[in-house]
Amino acid sequence: RLDELGLSWPRYERLVPAALANDTPALGEVLRQTLRVVSRPDEQPTARPQKLAVKQSALTWLWESRARTTKDDWLEWMSRLAVELLRESPAPALRACAPVAQMHPPLARRLFQVAFLACWAELDGTARASLVASLEAAFVSPSTPPEILLPLLALSEFMERNDHPLPIPARTLADVATQCGATSKALHFREAEFHSCRAPLGSARLVEALVYLHNNLKQPEAALGVLQAAQEHYALQVKLSWLEKLGRWHDALQVYERSPPRGEFALGRLRCLSALSEWSQLARASEAVWQHMSHPQQLEAAPLVAAARWHCQQWEAMELVARLIPSDTYEGGFYRAVLATHRRRYEAARGWVDRARSALHPELRAIASDTYSRAHAPLVHAQQLSEVEELIEYRVLQEGLAARRAPARPLDGPSHAVRAA
């Protein structure tokens, strides 16, 4: 009871006797009074929170990005910018989140876009120009990692959806999205660039890019529609590279085989043979055209030829062409791991698998939320690396068992090395 604790509540005091006496009318009256109190509207309107002042000078110094040169520099820049945008936000609710976000970085990343929009609305023209220049510098810097580029691309889309598009060229955003493997974002920005372009030459470049992106998104009808619209409205001629991007490999191969076996025609033929899995024919064709290709074309064709040599088990030739593939790419690490496994250099093979997996991580991160059809190829690559690791473990165990089953060397005579000495 409340009176035993020295407490008193009149409505409770009326409710308890009515409940003990099973007095339904009295209970109903108490409940009706309670409901009237709860449902009574506030007489005083809720005051809207006042906007807080934004220190533009502090933010201007913070978002400067030109001095960043390493991945750690960029990660620190992004982390500090996200927290400071919350700390300088004009919204009291966002500013109150700053201390927690500083201790819990995922919260800062989650609120980054909202905090940016809130601060952007309070910046003057000079501060906005400085901020856009810093973002463009981050987009075009060769040292900016995908972990920074992808959130910035998402920020550009968020600002556009909220009627505050950033004045950054659509071509820059599309190039960055293509570089990061964010195909859906690349298509959005490339379409915006196409609609704003008036030059016929630029239209041809954009048509090829749109065909490539639609084909990567498994939208062949849309890619074909882009080609038809380009022919009807821009009088553009269909190029061989467009046939490749549409997946019409047989048609493109027939044209390449009627063309001179040199330069871009030779490289295009190798691409078609690789897509059609004609490995023996690709290996023979590469021998015939290799000397007629420039060094950049040889570098581009090296992964295709390495795959053909691998399928044909031409290990010496595969090792020669694998040297042309950069070791920090997935193809470079994977083919070097295959060669090291074949040579029974298992520790080196494990190292190359790790390097190939590190090169694959940005691509997997970019398509983590996409459909299975888009994620299929990178997942197959990840599966290939796992299979190489399983093969390494199997061969190590197999050789260990073979060594234990080998007959022991007799101890009653000198060894071969001793006799030789």
Side-chain angles (χ1 to χ4, degrees):
R1 292 176 59 88
L2 293 179
D3 53 357
E4 296 176 356
L5 300 175
L7 301 176
S8 175
W9 186 27
R11 190 176 298 115
Y12 177 78
E13 297 296 338
R14 295 196 305 272
L15 185 63
V16 171
L20 294 176
N22 197 19
D23 189 350
T24 303
L27 285 173
E29 180 62 26
V30 174
L31 292 177
R32 280 192 294 271
Q33 293 177 359
T34 304
L35 290 175
R36 282 197 295 269
V37 172
V38 172
S39 61
R40 184 180 303 162
D42 294 335
E43 297 180 359
Q44 298 294 331
T46 303
R48 297 185 62 183
Q50 298 293 326
K51 287 186 177 181
L52 303 176
V54 177
K55 297 179 182 178
Q56 299 187 21
S57 58
L59 289 177
T60 303
W61 171 82
L62 184 67
W63 65 51
E64 178 59 42
S65 61
R66 293 179 179 85
R68 274 67 185 177
T69 56
T70 65
K71 179 179 179 180
D72 292 337
D73 291 341
W74 284 109
L75 293 176
E76 181 185 2
W77 173 80
M78 188 67 176
S79 176
R80 293 181 60 186
L81 179 61
V83 173
E84 289 302 321
L85 286 174
L86 288 172
R87 184 173 287 119
E88 297 298 331
S89 173
L94 290 176
R95 188 171 290 196
C97 296
V100 181
Q102 189 167 11
M103 296 182 294
H104 188 60
L107 178 62
R109 292 193 295 268
R110 186 68 179 269
L111 298 177
F112 172 65
Q113 298 176 357
V114 181
F116 186 96
L117 177 60
C119 292
W120 175 267
E122 302 300 318
L123 298 179
D124 57 27
T126 303
R128 288 187 178 185
S130 173
L131 176 54
V132 170
S134 296
L135 293 179
E136 287 190 279
F139 278 129
V140 301
S141 174
S143 62
T144 310
E147 293 87 346
I148 302 300
L149 294 175
L150 289 173
L152 294 181
L153 288 172
L155 173 66
S156 299
E157 285 189 311
F158 177 81
M159 295 294 290
E160 184 179 350
R161 288 195 303 270
N162 287 273
D163 300 326
H164 289 83
L166 298 176
I168 299 176
R171 181 172 183 175
T172 300
L173 297 174
D175 291 342
V176 173
T178 303
Q179 171 190 341
C180 295
T183 311
S184 299
K185 290 182 173 60
L187 178 61
H188 168 72
F189 293 123
R190 199 66 76 185
E191 287 178 340
E193 181 189 0
F194 179 83
H195 290 304
S196 62
C197 180
R198 295 294 180 266
L201 183 60
S203 297
R205 174 186 60 83
L206 290 172
V207 166
E208 184 172 358
L210 289 173
V211 170
Y212 169 77
L213 293 171
H214 278 299
N215 196 49
N216 271 12
L217 291 171
K218 308 302 180 184
Q219 299 172 350
E221 296 84 0
L224 187 59
V226 170
L227 283 184
Q228 292 175 350
Q231 288 178 302
E232 294 175 4
H233 301 288
Y234 298 94
L236 298 178
Q237 296 181 352
V238 177
K239 298 182 179 181
L240 281 175
S241 58
W242 298 358
L243 293 177
E244 293 183 42
K245 291 176 173 61
L246 282 173
R248 297 169 60 177
W249 301 105
H250 287 285
D251 297 338
L253 179 60
Q254 291 177 2
V255 178
Y256 282 130
E257 288 179 342
R258 294 194 299 265
S259 305
R262 61 177 58 91
E264 187 61 34
F265 294 106
L267 181 58
R269 184 185 177 191
L270 297 183
R271 286 196 298 265
C272 293
L273 292 173
S274 174
L276 296 172
S277 300
E278 298 288 351
W279 305 117
S280 300
Q281 190 175 350
L282 196 159
R284 293 192 300 269
S286 64
E287 295 176 358
V289 304
W290 194 256
Q291 300 301 325
H292 302 289
M293 301 170 65
S294 64
H295 183 65
Q297 290 171 342
Q298 290 178 350
L299 294 179
E300 185 177 349
L304 309 178
V305 180
R309 301 296 186 186
W310 177 36
H311 284 84
C312 297
Q313 298 187 6
Q314 299 173 355
W315 302 107
E316 299 298 334
M318 178 183 175
E319 186 168 7
L320 291 176
V321 74
R323 295 174 184 172
L324 299 176
I325 308 175
S327 60
D328 57 349
T329 62
Y330 165 78
E331 291 84 0
F334 175 73
Y335 290 125
R336 285 174 173 84
V338 171
L339 287 168
T341 304
H342 177 72
R343 308 294 187 196
R344 302 182 185 279
R345 298 195 294 266
Y346 301 124
E347 289 302 321
R350 290 191 180 96
W352 288 119
V353 168
D354 292 338
R355 296 186 66 172
R357 186 172 283 120
S358 298
L360 190 62
H361 279 169
E363 186 175 1
L364 290 172
R365 187 183 301 111
I367 54 133
S369 59
D370 286 338
T371 60
Y372 174 78
S373 58
R374 278 208 57 226
H376 178 72
L379 290 177
V380 169
H381 292 163
Q383 178 64 25
Q384 286 179 323
L385 295 176
S386 298
E387 290 176 356
V388 172
E389 289 179 324
E390 292 174 0
L391 177 61
I392 293 172
E393 295 299 327
Y394 171 77
R395 296 186 67 170
V396 168
L397 293 175
Q398 188 182 46
E399 293 179 5
L401 289 174
R404 285 195 292 270
R405 291 173 180 172
R409 181 176 297 173
L411 300 177
D412 54 350
S415 66
H416 176 75
V418 174
R419 290 198 302 270

